[in-house]
Amino acid sequence: MTIYEDKTFDEERALYGSDDIVVVNCRFDGPADGESAMKESRNITVKNSYFNLRYPFWHDEDVHIEDSAMTELCRAALWYSNNIKIENTKMHGIKGLRECHDIEIKNCDIVSPEFGWSDTGVTMTDSSAESEYFMMRSSGLKFENVSMKGKYSFQYISDAEFVNCNFDTKDAFWHAKNVVVRDSRVKGEYLAWYCENVVFENCTIIGTQPLCYCRNLKLVNCRMEEADLSFEKSEVDADIVGGIISIKNPKSGIIRVQQVDEVIMDDPEAEGKIELY
């Protein structure tokens, strides 16, 4: 094991190809403005360190980062890497995580447009995120107690579970497949169009024109606020607590709701049923 402590690195590929290293209280910053500090490395532990340069963790294996900070200048921090654990860390560079596998993120602050593209096996807990196109085309996601703000989130994801989350988003879950959202609040326009095999359970859904063009959509004990023109062209089985503004042309299935202000059925192919209880 090699330990680097209280050092500053700014050169190109400063620790390239390292194996079994511990980096403590170090800075990756300086006038040389070098990239790819730990590219092609393995068995890396990083603690209390500061990253202000681009592409520090590419093509890496077995990475553990804790109590650290990645600035806005730390672009594309983790790409093409496997077996990653990140704790108590600020991830503030654009495109912070991409094409990675087996990732655990805990108690992190993420401010990163286009974060999390094409990843597999991502567990995220007790964290917050601001992003656009968050987690696009990723699979095997398990999120708990995560708050997220930003447009176009979770598009084209698959095989995912979200528990006790708070999402303030728009055009979220488009084309998503095999997803469960439980005990969560989802606010935003045009939720989950074109999704397949998606379940919302004990959720509050807020916003206009949600859940259209869906296949095998299920809602269990959910509330819907500010929701007009809902379920258009969708195959749906829904239990809605309280009322809804309007339902439009559900393709098939049944929607059980306590109150609906308007039902629009002007498509002869719309065969969905609305049941008041």
Side-chain angles (χ1 to χ4, degrees), residues 196-249:
E196 184 176 352
N197 300 332
V198 172
V199 178
F200 292 91
E201 183 177 342
N202 301 325
C203 291
T204 298
I205 294 168
I206 305 169
T208 187
Q209 298 182 55
L211 305 169
C212 300
Y213 301 92
C214 303
R215 296 177 61 189
N216 194 25
L217 171 70
K218 189 170 184 178
L219 275 66
V220 181
N221 194 40
C222 290
R223 294 186 178 274
M224 300 186 69
E225 301 175 4
E226 304 172 19
D228 61 331
L229 308 176
S230 309
F231 303 113
E232 184 175 10
K233 302 294 180 70
S234 287
E235 304 168 0
V236 55
D237 181 355
D239 289 309
I240 301 170
V241 178
I244 189 171
I245 295 174
S246 61
I247 296 170
K248 182 177 181 179
N249 293 329

Side-chain angles (χ1 to χ4, degrees), residues 135-166:
M135 304 305 305
M136 188 168 73
R137 298 191 187 278
S138 289
S139 63
L141 310 180
K142 189 171 183 179
F143 284 31
E144 186 170 359
N145 194 30
V146 173
S147 63
M148 183 270 162
K149 185 174 183 179
K151 296 182 287 186
Y152 321 125
S153 58
F154 307 114
Q155 294 191 351
Y156 296 94
I157 66 167
S158 61
D159 304 311
E161 181 181 16
F162 303 89
V163 179
N164 193 32
C165 292
N166 189 345

Side-chain angles (χ1 to χ4, degrees), residues 34-156:
E35 301 174 352
S36 305
M38 282 176 265
K39 187 176 181 180
E40 299 280 4
S41 296
R42 61 183 60 244
N43 302 315
I44 305 163
T45 299
V46 176
K47 299 180 180 180
N48 299 298
S49 292
Y50 175 83
F51 294 87
N52 199 41
L53 302 174
R54 299 167 297 283
Y55 326 136
F57 302 98
W58 279 44
H59 298 283
D60 289 340
E61 300 284 339
D62 302 317
V63 180
H64 185 188
I65 302 167
E66 61 181 71
D67 301 314
S68 295
M70 303 175 189
T71 72
E72 292 181 1
L73 298 181
C74 183
R75 297 172 58 92
L78 297 109
W79 282 36
Y80 311 112
S81 295
N82 302 317
N83 194 17
I84 300 163
K85 186 174 183 179
I86 308 171
E87 300 178 274
N88 307 315
T89 291
K90 293 181 179 179
M91 306 178 70
H92 286 187
I94 190 173
K95 304 177 183 179
L97 184 74
R98 188 170 296 190
E99 298 275 3
C100 292
H101 308 283
D102 298 328
I103 308 115
E104 181 181 349
I105 297 172
K106 184 176 181 180
N107 196 31
C108 287
D109 173 24
I110 299 164
V111 182
S112 177
E114 302 178 21
F115 183 93
W117 286 18
S118 301
D119 296 311
T120 58
V122 182
T123 299
M124 185 180 297
T125 57
D126 303 326
S127 296
S128 64
E130 293 184 24
S131 183
E132 294 180 353
Y133 295 102
F134 186 63
M135 304 305 305
M136 188 168 73
R137 298 191 187 278
S138 289
S139 63
L141 310 180
K142 189 171 183 179
F143 284 31
E144 186 170 359
N145 194 30
V146 173
S147 63
M148 183 270 162
K149 185 174 183 179
K151 296 182 287 186
Y152 321 125
S153 58
F154 307 114
Q155 294 191 351
Y156 296 94

